[in-house]
Amino acid sequence: MSNSTSQGSLEYLNVQTMRILEAMNFRHNHNTALYSDGTQLIGIVGDRGSGKTTLLHSVCEAAARQHNWIVLPVVRPELMPASESTLVAMIGQMARLTVTQPDLFSSGEGIAEIEQLSHNVLRAALYLGRETVQDVLTNSPSLGQFAADSASVLFRASTLTDDLQSLVVSLLRETGRQGIIIGVDDIDLIPGRLSQLLSDVRLLSSCPGILPVICLSWNDLRGSLRAEMMSLYPSLDPASLEKSVAQQVMKTMRPDRIFEPLQLPRNQRLDYRPIESDASLGEVLLKLFSLIQGKNREPLGQWLAQQLGSDERRVLGFAWLPDTYRGLEHLYYSASSLIGALSGDRSALELGQQLRQMVGSVSRETSGFDVNLEIQAGGSGGQANGLVAVAEWPNYSLRISANRESKRIFQSRGTRILLREVARPLATERLSVDSRQSETRGHRDLTMREMSGALLVQSLLSSSIFEDPPPSGPLSLVDDSCVFLQEVRIVGLPTDDGFFYIPPSSGIVYVDRWTKTWNWIVNQTAKSDEGSAPADRLLTNICVATVQIWSQGRAPELVEPARSLRTAFAEASRLYVTFAATLIAEDDWQWLPAAAYCQWYEKLLPNSFHDALLTADTLQAVLETWQAAISSGSRADAGVVGLRDVYSRRMGVQSSELKSSSRSRAWLYGYRALLGNVAPDLAILLKEFEKEYVERGGRGSKGRDAVEENVLILEGSSRYSYATRKTVEAIEEEQLLRRVLAQLKP
Amino acid sequence: MNPTERGQLKLEPDLLWDTGFKSLTRAQVSDILAEIYDTLELRVGHRIAEKLDVNQLATFERIVAGHDEADALAWLRKTVPTYQDTVRSEYSHIVNTLRNAAELRKSSRSEEAIVDDASDRD
């Protein structure tokens, strides 16, 4: 029996035990069979480790103690030799009751009769157990012999039933009990014997006074029945096979007599503690995460402390917790062992082994995915017992889903900014590659549990346990992930990529923070009062949220918007200089948050330094501060070189390509101030777009102010039924609309 | 399309639905609405420019270059007091033209179907 329980789980165990007893006693008190055909059976179903055995034993103990039942020892078929009949074992226990539980028989009367009946029943069961009709069919040399032998088998079966009934009546009379409970645990563990087991249980349950209580897992039961039937009837088609399996299950178990062990609700699982343990699972994990988070690494300990201290239990934060008591128990002891290894004088390899078990505890429970972790002792970097590891992951990738409606942040003078909130992260697995054809076979969306578990494992692997670089994982949110969250038109032109970004993020802590940061920015900016320079306000909020929510982990509801962009930008720049001083060239953003922040500051933040987005004064001040920060420290060259690469790609490298680009790229001209400072050769190429840009920027379009005052573009619709993809009809409609509008333009 | 309480006209997806363009994706709707907005801007600007003399045009250019929307609007109200009517009439013109185009397309497709059906029976 498992020793794993907690205050909450004990309560659930007692509740479910009483419910089952009520169902059992209902039959007895109302003299009704649990089945309309007179059979009775109680089923306890659940996944492996969910507490079925614990519940079964709890019911048996309560029944024997409180409810006046005879309870036989629980039968475990998987521990019995293949040659031994389960039916014989169960009947044998009944037959030996006068010896094994003599206290049940207060008076000695009737014992002799019981013993005689026991002898008859046991002999009939032994005889019956030797042969079935199927066996007779297989072994009979002729039809006549089969007829005779099978009749004999069936006669013995009916004899057994009668003798068994007589024995049960006598037992109940002599003991004064209301029935006999026979517990059968893990009935589904042995393919090849399952059908016989179910048949034995049904035979017993057809005898009034006997109540079998069986434990099984639905999925394993179906799987075992399927395997059995496939071997017996190899020509059966899949549909018929499934139907037969379903019928077998339905024949055995009536839905209203099925009970599941109650699992701890998700928000109580961190309170779980094994019996005689002082610390809860949450406390153990907090201690472990605090030990391994290390300097400048992902703050797992801080993150968990925040989750524990908050009433809101976000799904991403806790979906990785095991569902079953056994899973919680394994996680508890894995974490405890790892703490012991970290705290004591253990070798590096032993530490690695403990970590591997911890990773396994999480990955197996969430999805069964396996991270192939190769660990060996290091020794470089001055660490004598350092660990070096390489991780091989399933083919996962991460993206995000967004709310459908956009929020209009800014619309003026041909410049429009629409932003969408993030709904949640999503992960996908690219299925196995066909080695012959070198093609993937499709994709599978991970469940929230699987994704959450994988993110946590990724965080564990990027902890301070490993030498640099630690093994990295596949689940990251980068700038490409959020391009579709924004739609920006500059001087009336559609733009081809994004302008507002937050740092790239991986691991459970920073992916969680990423979504909170972005949504705070969108909501804060959208609800701000309309006034001058709303794009300045947006950039201000980006700086505030990145520093306080993304980098420092503050709760969004505690973050106040800054009073000015200069203040917010100065703070963001100070943090950049601090982080840049701690980094070396080989540091990667995937496992060092400081490197992710620096990458954002150097390459992603400047995308918003556009003169159609920021006012002239703001743009100048921002560029001066940014350039000063970039020039500080050892990352000066890396920062500028990286940015040049970004804008080379954005603009197209060849000037001839730029000339032949459509005029829709004229918006690039708004970057002349930025590029003039970091890449003057690129800034020269922008001259091609000056006329178009200036014309559109405000000096030419006399209708702009009049139309802006009187016309509003709205994204939401109460009636439009959008197509989910571009059909031929949609393309034709769009072409017609564009032709008409082109003709209407003066 | 009725103006809002503040007198603003709305460019929204329902406009395209009502004019007969019902097969578009969300992205297409968004792009087309922006295109309609641009077209309206250019047409209104052209109509306003027709009513201004050279000096008035130069004055307006200076005000717009100063990036002061409030000044620009105040000048427009004073110099071209009917500019809001211009916006409304151009808006209606664009919407009606689009509606007519949709109806013509629909009717020409019906005629093609009739012709095809008739030729099948020949």
Side-chain angles (χ1 to χ4, degrees):
Chain A
M1 185 188 305
S2 168
N3 284 327
S4 305
T5 187
S6 65
Q7 190 60 34
S9 56
L10 268 176
E11 289 174 17
Y12 294 135
L13 179 67
N14 291 337
V15 162
Q16 204 64 337
T17 299
M18 296 317 297
R19 284 184 61 205
I20 294 174
L21 286 175
E22 279 172 19
M24 288 157 54
N25 290 324
F26 180 85
R27 181 209 64 79
H28 174 76
N29 292 335
H30 292 79
N31 198 26
T32 57
L34 292 176
Y35 276 120
S36 57
D37 62 357
T39 59
Q40 48 258 344
L41 187 68
I42 296 279
I44 299 176
V45 301
D47 293 332
R48 297 288 163 217
S50 60
K52 298 188 297 294
T53 303
T54 304
L55 180 56
L56 173 63
H57 284 278
S58 176
V59 168
C60 291
E61 285 168 16
R65 191 173 56 245
Q66 298 171 4
H67 292 278
N68 213 23
W69 293 80
I70 297 175
V71 180
L72 301 181
V74 171
V75 175
R76 298 186 62 184
E78 87 273 16
L79 297 181
M80 294 167 55
S83 57
E84 189 174 341
S85 160
T86 319
L87 181 65
V88 168
M90 291 189 281
I91 290 178
Q93 288 190 8
M94 241 187 301
R96 290 192 294 275
L97 263 178
T98 54
V99 175
T100 57
Q101 298 185 43
D103 294 340
L104 289 174
F105 305 90
S106 51
S107 71
E109 299 172 14
I111 294 284
E113 181 193 356
I114 289 172
E115 288 178 349
Q116 181 60 46
L117 284 169
S118 299
H119 175 75
N120 294 344
V121 164
L122 197 53
R123 190 179 61 182
L126 279 167
Y127 202 42
L128 181 66
R130 285 211 308 249
E131 226 177 14
T132 63
V133 171
Q134 179 68 30
D135 295 331
V136 168
L137 179 63
T138 306
N139 298 325
S140 293
S142 69
L143 189 59
Q145 191 69 48
F146 167 69
D149 290 346
S150 59
S152 173
V153 169
L154 292 171
F155 174 73
R156 288 200 295 270
S158 85
T159 303
L160 170 63
T161 305
D162 293 337
D163 289 342
L164 183 61
Q165 181 66 75
S166 300
L167 175 61
V168 170
V169 167
S170 295
L171 282 171
L172 297 183
R173 186 184 62 234
E174 289 304 316
T175 60
R177 301 297 173 106
Q178 66 186 27
I180 302 174
I181 292 175
I182 302 177
V184 185
D185 199 5
D186 288 334
I187 200 171
D188 53 324
L189 274 183
I190 314 170
R193 291 177 61 184
L194 183 57
S195 295
Q196 184 59 51
L197 271 172
L198 290 175
S199 174
D200 292 344
V201 167
R202 279 197 294 270
L203 188 149
L204 289 173
S205 69
S206 66
C207 180
I210 297 179
L211 179 60
V213 181
I214 64 175
C215 290
L216 55 94
S217 155
W218 275 131
N219 290 335
D220 291 352
L221 176 69
R222 286 194 202 96
S224 297
L225 278 174
R226 201 178 290 122
E228 221 172 78
M229 291 205 155
M230 279 172 67
S231 69
L232 286 174
Y233 310 109
S235 60
L236 203 58
D237 64 272
S240 301
L241 178 68
E242 289 305 318
K243 200 171 168 186
S244 297
V245 166
Q247 283 170 347
Q248 274 268 33
V249 171
M250 283 163 56
K251 199 165 130 181
T252 308
M253 310 283 287
R254 204 173 89 170
D256 59 334
R257 294 296 175 254
I258 293 171
F259 299 87
E260 294 181 25
L262 296 179
Q263 304 304 307
L264 279 176
R266 196 181 302 280
N267 61 0
Q268 290 184 30
R269 290 178 198 169
L270 285 174
D271 299 328
Y272 164 86
R273 68 188 71 201
I275 292 178
E276 297 176 1
S277 296
D278 294 328
S280 68
L281 176 62
E283 289 164 350
V284 169
L285 288 175
L286 181 61
K287 186 174 179 182
L288 172 64
F289 288 178
S290 301
L291 273 175
I292 66 174
Q293 69 180 23
K295 190 168 180 247
N296 296 330
R297 295 295 176 95
E298 198 173 342
L300 265 175
Q302 176 192 349
W303 168 78
L304 184 62
Q306 280 180 329
Q307 315 300 317
L308 290 171
S310 166
D311 289 333
E312 182 195 357
R313 296 289 171 101
R314 291 173 62 88
V315 177
L316 183 63
F318 296 104
W320 53 271
L321 282 169
D323 283 335
T324 65
Y325 295 107
R326 185 176 299 160
L328 292 169
E329 182 185 35
H330 284 185
L331 182 63
Y332 187 99
Y333 288 120
S334 297
S336 300
S337 298
L338 185 52
I339 290 172
L342 285 165
S343 309
D345 186 21
R346 306 283 183 92
S347 72
L349 285 179
E350 194 175 348
L351 181 63
Q353 179 64 24
Q354 297 294 343
L355 177 64
R356 197 203 305 275
Q357 287 191 13
M358 176 74 189
V359 167
S361 291
V362 175
S363 64
R364 277 194 304 274
E365 281 295 326
T366 52
S367 72
F369 75 85
D370 213 5
V371 179
N372 187 12
L373 199 58
E374 295 292 330
I375 302 177
Q376 53 188 349
S380 62
Q383 287 182 272
N385 288 325
L387 282 177
V388 174
V390 173
E392 193 179 307
W393 285 80
N395 206 339
Y396 288 163
S397 62
L398 190 67
R399 66 185 198 282
I400 45 177
S401 67
N403 286 339
R404 301 190 74 178
E405 293 301 321
S406 299
K407 293 181 191 265
R408 189 169 65 94
I409 302 299
F410 178 44
Q411 182 168 342
S412 179
R413 297 187 172 276
T415 296
R416 184 179 73 170
I417 303 170
L418 297 174
L419 299 181
R420 297 162 75 189
E421 282 178 284
V422 173
R424 67 179 190 94
L426 294 172
T428 309
E429 179 182 8
R430 283 195 293 278
L431 299 176
S432 59
V433 176
D434 185 330
S435 58
R436 286 173 301 178
Q437 297 175 3
S438 299
E439 289 177 0
T440 54
R441 287 186 184 158
H443 296 77
R444 179 182 75 87
D445 286 336
L446 270 63
T447 61
M448 176 63 84
R449 287 199 73 213
E450 290 172 320
M451 179 180 65
S452 181
L455 282 168
L456 179 68
V457 167
Q458 199 165 295
S459 296
L460 291 173
L461 296 180
S462 69
S463 69
S464 63
I465 289 181
F466 295 109
E467 289 189 5
D468 297 343
S472 59
L475 300 179
S476 305
L477 289 175
V478 292
D479 51 312
D480 287 347
S481 306
C482 80
V483 167
F484 70 100
L485 295 176
Q486 52 191 285
E487 188 190 312
V488 179
R489 292 176 75 89
I490 291 182
V491 294
L493 294 168
T495 56
D496 60 358
D497 53 11
F499 293 78
F500 307 104
Y501 294 107
I502 54 181
S505 304
S506 65
I508 200 165
V509 176
Y510 282 95
V511 167
D512 190 32
R513 287 185 186 179
W514 197 100
T515 58
K516 289 176 186 171
T517 301
W518 180 263
N519 286 348
W520 186 92
I521 292 167
V522 173
N523 288 311
Q524 194 63 39
T525 312
K527 75 179 183 187
S528 301
D529 293 333
E530 289 291 336
S532 62
D536 289 11
R537 195 166 60 245
L538 174 54
L539 184 58
T540 305
N541 289 334
I542 287 173
C543 291
V544 167
T546 300
V547 168
Q548 295 195 32
I549 302 175
W550 188 90
S551 179
Q552 297 171 353
R554 289 195 77 200
E557 57 272 17
L558 299 178
V559 176
E560 294 290 330
R563 297 202 175 170
S564 72
L565 175 55
R566 286 174 200 247
T567 309
F569 199 80
E571 180 62 28
S573 302
R574 271 195 292 277
L575 191 58
Y576 166 77
V577 171
T578 304
F579 281 150
T582 66
L583 299 176
I584 59 175
E586 291 76 28
D587 288 334
D588 190 89
W589 64 268
Q590 287 218 17
W591 46 276
L592 265 187
Y597 185 91
C598 289
Q599 175 157 316
W600 164 74
Y601 190 88
E602 291 161 3
K603 293 183 194 169
L604 301 178
L605 187 59
N607 281 338
S608 53
F609 299 171
H610 193 289
D611 66 16
L613 296 174
L614 305 179
T615 59
D617 290 343
T618 299
L619 182 57
Q620 183 176 352
V622 156
L623 277 171
E624 286 168 0
T625 307
W626 180 81
Q627 195 118 31
I630 290 289
S631 304
S632 308
S634 60
R635 289 184 67 84
D637 290 340
V640 173
V641 166
L643 193 63
R644 275 190 56 87
D645 289 343
V646 167
Y647 283 90
S648 293
R649 284 196 299 277
R650 248 186 141 186
M651 293 167 58
V653 177
Q654 302 298 326
S655 60
S656 57
E657 289 176 8
L658 209 54
K659 278 183 188 174
S660 63
S661 299
S662 75
R663 65 176 192 168
S664 64
R665 308 265 298 160
W667 56 269
L668 285 166
Y669 187 75
Y671 282 121
R672 63 193 184 285
L674 170 68
L675 292 179
N677 280 290
V678 299
D681 53 325
L682 294 180
I684 291 174
L685 297 178
L686 296 178
K687 205 75 171 135
E688 297 292 327
F689 302 116
E690 180 177 9
K691 184 173 183 299
E692 174 77 20
Y693 183 78
V694 170
E695 182 73 14
R696 283 180 161 271
R699 294 189 197 162
S701 177
K702 292 149 194 74
R704 178 152 296 138
D705 295 299
V707 172
E708 272 181 13
E709 188 199 30
N710 291 281
V711 180
L712 196 62
I713 290 188
L714 297 175
E715 299 291 316
S717 170
S718 59
R719 286 183 285 119
Y720 203 102
S721 179
Y722 296 105
T724 53
R725 58 185 179 87
K726 266 192 192 178
T727 59
V728 169
E729 181 76 9
I731 293 172
E732 286 178 0
E733 281 188 6
E734 183 183 358
Q735 286 172 345
L736 175 61
L737 281 160
R738 291 194 186 276
R739 276 201 305 274
V740 171
L741 291 171
Q743 288 168 17
L744 284 171
K745 283 181 181 158
Chain B
M1 181 67 64
N2 293 323
T4 64
E5 289 180 3
R6 290 184 294 155
Q8 282 191 320
L9 300 164
K10 290 190 286 184
L11 275 181
E12 57 185 353
D14 291 352
L15 169 68
L16 291 173
W17 185 268
D18 292 336
T19 47
F21 296 93
K22 299 185 178 181
S23 303
L24 303 171
T25 64
R26 184 181 289 273
Q28 285 177 306
V29 166
S30 179
D31 283 347
I32 292 297
L33 287 178
E35 194 70 24
I36 293 173
Y37 189 93
D38 287 346
T39 305
L40 181 62
E41 213 173 68
L42 287 169
R43 289 184 65 86
V44 167
H46 194 71
R47 289 273 299 275
I48 289 174
E50 284 173 350
K51 296 176 184 172
L52 300 177
D53 60 33
V54 173
N55 290 333
Q56 287 171 324
L57 276 172
T59 303
F60 187 68
E61 297 264 350
R62 276 198 302 277
I63 293 172
V64 167
H67 295 288
D68 191 329
E69 281 187 53
D71 275 356
L73 282 171
W75 189 90
L76 266 179
R77 284 189 198 110
K78 184 181 169 189
T79 312
V80 189
T82 58
Y83 78 93
Q84 289 184 337
D85 294 334
T86 304
V87 174
R88 279 184 168 67
S89 79
E90 289 300 326
Y91 176 94
S92 298
H93 180 74
I94 291 173
V95 170
N96 290 335
T97 306
L98 292 176
R99 181 178 293 117
N100 291 339
E103 285 174 4
L104 276 171
R105 175 170 173 267
K106 187 178 168 187
S107 60
S108 69
R109 286 178 126 195
S110 301
E111 286 175 9
E112 282 174 13
I114 293 171
V115 167
D116 285 343
D117 188 41
S119 67
D120 283 345
R121 279 185 273 131
D122 285 344

